[in-house]
Amino acid sequence: QLQLVESGGGLVQPGGSLRLSCTASGFTLDYYAVGWFRQAPGKELEGVSCISPSGEGTDYADSAKGRFTLSRDNAKNTVYLQMSSLKPEDTAVYYCATDRLTFPDFCTALLRNRRLDYLGQGTQVTVSS
């Protein structure tokens, strides 16, 4: 059974950093584009970032550009979202996602906030002093 498990969330002060991890089980991530959504209280799901199967291609929502970095270690079947210069408006549940779409189609769908086939259970990130 294909599963995505997120970890690394927590409470951080404004300006701080966090690194989220997404580990796959039941399948090999090597051939899949992977991305992150987030959902703040009372708001819609928002696509944050996406990465190609090889890791050579990435894309980001405007809200994440310059502050978030997405990377992957296929040997560990894991994708990482490094978040820095965090703001209170980054507070949300962060979800890892994947699908069988090609990388360009996957990123287009994610950054347009469209649902994808596989979503993890989420990890809470709270940015507050």
Side-chain angles (χ1 to χ4, degrees), residues 36-48 89-95 115 119 121-125:
W36 289 86
F37 286 101
R38 67 184 182 185
Q39 189 166 27
K43 294 192 175 181
E44 298 290 319
L45 207 61
E46 175 192 12
V48 175
E89 50 264 43
D90 293 318
T91 295
V93 178
Y94 283 71
Y95 298 92
R115 284 271 180 179
L119 213 64
Q121 85 289 349
T123 185
Q124 176 71 47
V125 172

Side-chain angles (χ1 to χ4, degrees), residues 57-79:
T58 55
D59 204 356
Y60 300 88
D62 287 344
S63 59
K65 284 179 182 174
R67 300 188 301 125
F68 293 6
T69 303
L70 191 53
S71 62
R72 64 193 297 161
D73 185 343
N74 285 340
K76 295 183 178 179
N77 226 24
T78 300
V79 171

Side-chain angles (χ1 to χ4, degrees), residues 108-121:
T108 297
L110 184 141
L111 294 178
R112 291 181 180 178
N113 306 326
R114 293 176 185 163
R115 284 271 180 179
L116 296 168
D117 281 350
Y118 302 102
L119 213 64
Q121 85 289 349

Side-chain angles (χ1 to χ4, degrees), residues 2-4 27 32 37 96-100 116-120:
L2 191 153
Q3 280 191 317
L4 299 170
F27 72 109
Y32 293 83
F37 286 101
C96 181
T98 193
D99 202 298
R100 291 185 174 90
L116 296 168
D117 281 350
Y118 302 102
L119 213 64

